[in-house]
Amino acid sequence: NLMTHAEQAQTPRVVTPFPAPKLMDLPQFQGEHKESLYWGTYRPNVYLGIRARTPRSLIAGLMWIGIKDGRYFMRHVCQDSDDLSKYGWAQHDGRSFGHQVIVDQDMNLGTSFLKSKGEDSGYGGDWAVQIDVQNHKSRGNEEASRSAHLFFYLADEDGNTLNLGGDTLDIHENPLLASGSRMDIGSWQLHLKSLDDLEVHYAGFKTPHIHNLSDLVQENLGLQVRKFGRLQLPDTSVDSPNILVFQISARAPFRTDVAFISGTRLESSRVEERVSSLTGTSLTNQLKDKQREFDTKFEKSFNLVDKLDSESIVAGKAAIANLLGGIGYFFGQSKIAVSGDMLPGSHDNSILYWPAELYTAVPSRPFFPRGFLWDEGFHQLLIWRWDTHISLDIIGHWLDLMNIDGWIPREQILGVEALSKVPSDFVTQLPTNGNPPALLLALRDLVHGLKKNKFTAAESDAISSFVERAFVRLEAWFQWFNTTQSGKEVGSYYWHGRDNITNRELNPKTLTSGLDDYPRASHPSKDERHVDLRCWMLLAADCLHSIAELFEKENKSAKEYGATVKLLSDFEVLNQMHYDDAYGTYLDFGNHTEKVRLVWKETMTGHNYATRELVREVLESPKLRLVPHIGPVSLFPFIGRIIPADSKVLEKQLDIISNRSILWTDFGLRSLAKTSSLYMKYNTEHDAPYWRGPIWMNMNYMILSSLYHYSRVDGPYREKARTIYDDLRGNLIRNVVKNYHKTGFFWEQYDQKNGKGKGARVFNGWTSLVLLIMAEAYSS
Ligand code: 6A9
């Protein structure tokens, strides 16, 4: 893996991989582990999409025609504008089973996925999909009796030819839809079975542009409608197609099963038997077993039965199922910004990162179906509790994305499918910009659990060898922050990269922190100190310290990190740097004035045109001072449990948390105090408040977790912490569960005034933490 000097000289430093053995090359990620995770529902951007964890896979997916107000729409890619009243995984185990419920107007679709590995199966095993179509004939409409049209497709990203099962597709005669062969799995076959009266048509295409599949099918179908007046694929194919689309039409209700089998000696190996075990009653029974297994594992992992009502439990199941069902596999190259002089001949000052794989959960299937660095840390808090091996696999992929400087790109837009969702202005990643090392929250839990013998032998082995190899990368990560994000004073840090020239933003954003528009010093400068980053550094040092101890690394590094932990958790030093007596809380420090506002200015352009623009007006010179915005950032020392349990400061934090005119609402804690001068303020004309009021689950989880901690350690405020903890926990659960049952979805944030879900609809990233809140599962 190490690069030669010559190679290093040619590759710009920023796109040079970290020179150490990759985590994903560890033996624990090969063999059976790797094979067991080969196929999966790893295309979270579509309503149902299957692929293998390989750069150029055979992929499968489902489209259908939805009817709204008499008009026809092709459904495929998860889009909010489709306005489905529900979709999502009711169960999913992240490995071999999932059951999804989709409600599109009057049509109910159930999509189930099942994997099975038999003796004869090719690499990665066989899989099946069951699609169940129901019509609920509401308002006695006639659509109900019409045919429903499903489109199940296979596409080979490698360009291999797919063979059609037969010239005419009469599946009752011959259930074979398609066959082919690939390097990875050998020969394969796709079969379709149903007891219902189905009509099947097909079309075959050849194109490398697999992200445009919806258009391809829609245009083809449109042509048929215009030419022949029928909504039917033409039953034709180009030569050597790499895409086959099968239209399955029938009157609802109906059910159909698709079975995918593979293996080198397919012809001779009991094909019929295998297909029948993956379809019909046998499939239904296996799905039922898996459903029961999911329920049992859910109960075992989270223990909710005696704690909560059934409505909450249903939502809790949806939380973990959708997080697991949203796990994707991506392959591609990030676009990295470089300064112009670094790259002669480059036009847009960007270069490509090395081609990389990423196996990761995603924040939101319709809005953000790709990896985000700090979101993933929160996702892993749930996932390691469900399946430690999956969690390590995901964290390993992320750490392998580190470059030689110890930097990891924040947003991972890998491959054309991912790219198609992002406006081009937002694609490039800046190598000077960080994002919280939240993955360490999960790693810390794993290491603590290891020390306390909480895992099975196999899990313990996997965690030990993982952290042992990860250590150099974690050190480099720490160093990257410690050198590039440090402040003027020892033990101070600030998020670098805020715009200090703009006059358009009311308060220049800090996207790096993850808290985007959460207000900081009005005038970004080198004098800043950000209290949240300081606490992330403490977490990082603490995590490295406990890993170093675990392996008795040369005493040196354990000692060094120990010293950093000591410095960063020193209550006096912290108070000197960030505590404000009058406010009774921790604040950022920087060049700041409260007297800023956005005003409309007329500017004259050539030819006497006047344009109106909104610009920032500063009514008083900024001064170096503590920045008086209260919110999650101010609570980071509380989150980091740095405050001694008997300190008056702790009481102050509890007061701020529970005060209705500051952070408290009946639905959770606000992301910015109601008393802040920028509470619910637009940042520019179009930039609505985001982290300036609404309730976010990740921050609420962290704060709640500390309330739990302080309600269990001795001290004068223990009871107070307990009461606030109970109330906050109740409020968060009640509101998310209520929204889930009312709207069918989890949301990106919740309105602090009425509790309503807002932002991205279908957000099963960190909002899923509500399940850990139900289970009272926090880090020790
Ligand atoms: C850019 C959109 C017109 C914003 O959940 C992912 C992130 C979080 O990491 C972050 O903390 N979300 C939070 O503040 C969503 C970010 C989406 C960026 C999309 C392109 C332009 O569309």
Side-chain angles (χ1 to χ4, degrees), residues 183-257:
M183 292 288 281
D184 54 351
I185 56 171
S187 307
W188 58 262
Q189 294 184 353
L190 185 76
H191 295 256
L192 181 77
K193 286 221 166 176
S194 175
L195 294 174
D196 296 307
D197 194 14
L198 309 182
E199 225 182 279
V200 181
H201 298 277
Y202 71 90
F205 307 94
K206 189 166 184 65
T207 166
H209 302 297
I210 282 173
H211 61 291
N212 287 336
L213 273 180
S214 325
D215 295 347
L216 198 66
V217 175
Q218 214 166 311
E219 275 159 25
N220 196 279
L221 211 55
L223 204 69
Q224 295 301 309
V225 173
R226 285 194 298 280
K227 264 198 189 155
F228 308 108
R230 61 177 185 220
L231 196 63
Q232 213 171 74
L233 287 177
D235 294 320
T236 57
S237 170
V238 298
D239 275 346
S240 325
N242 68 326
I243 298 170
L244 287 177
V245 184
F246 300 97
Q247 177 175 8
I248 304 159
S249 310
R251 274 171 204 281
F254 67 93
R255 210 181 71 195
T256 178
D257 302 328

Side-chain angles (χ1 to χ4, degrees), residues 363 368 370 372 374-375 411 423 426 514 516 690-691 748 763 766:
F368 321 121
R370 54 186 177 275
F372 286 82
W374 90 304
D375 294 63
E411 187 175 343
F426 294 85
D516 299 18
Y690 197 38
W691 293 85
E748 185 180 19
F763 190 100
W766 57 46

Side-chain angles (χ1 to χ4, degrees), residues 516-584:
D516 299 18
D517 63 339
Y518 182 89
R520 311 278 181 163
S522 60
H523 291 68
S525 75
K526 294 194 162 75
D527 291 301
E528 274 185 87
R529 298 178 213 145
H530 292 149
V531 61
D532 53 336
L533 182 51
R534 191 178 189 281
C535 295
W536 284 115
M537 294 306 288
L538 170 59
L539 167 74
D542 183 50
C543 199
L544 282 159
H545 180 239
S546 50
I547 298 175
E549 264 187 354
L550 191 66
F551 297 104
E552 296 164 61
K553 292 261 172 222
E554 326 119 56
N555 258 333
K556 199 177 128 258
S557 56
K559 269 201 192 125
E560 261 176 42
Y561 293 115
T564 309
V565 170
K566 215 170 153 221
L567 170 73
L568 294 178
S569 57
D570 187 302
F571 193 47
E572 294 311 315
V573 178
L574 168 73
N575 289 345
Q576 277 160 29
M577 276 190 186
H578 289 288
Y579 191 69
D580 185 296
D581 230 3
Y583 284 93

Side-chain angles (χ1 to χ4, degrees), residues 362-364 367-368 370 372-375 379 410-411 413 421-423 426-427 435 511 513-517 690-691 696 698 748 763 766:
V362 303
S364 163
F367 286 93
F368 321 121
R370 54 186 177 275
F372 286 82
L373 181 55
W374 90 304
D375 294 63
H379 303 160
R410 167 165 53 120
E411 187 175 343
I413 309 161
K421 282 254 169 173
V422 188
F426 294 85
V427 172
N435 198 215
L511 293 170
S513 71
L515 308 171
D516 299 18
D517 63 339
Y690 197 38
W691 293 85
W696 292 80
N698 59 340
E748 185 180 19
F763 190 100
W766 57 46

Side-chain angles (χ1 to χ4, degrees), residues 280-322:
T281 329
S282 165
L283 175 61
T284 306
N285 289 338
Q286 291 179 74
L287 288 171
K288 276 191 191 137
D289 287 346
K290 286 284 186 183
Q291 203 148 327
R292 270 192 294 274
E293 275 172 38
F294 172 88
D295 288 340
T296 311
K297 183 165 180 177
F298 180 85
E299 181 46 28
K300 208 180 123 239
S301 309
F302 304 109
N303 259 306
L304 299 189
V305 166
D306 303 325
K307 279 189 164 157
L308 289 152
D309 56 288
S310 60
E311 289 215 326
S312 301
I313 293 176
V314 169
K317 284 182 183 170
I320 187 74
N322 280 304

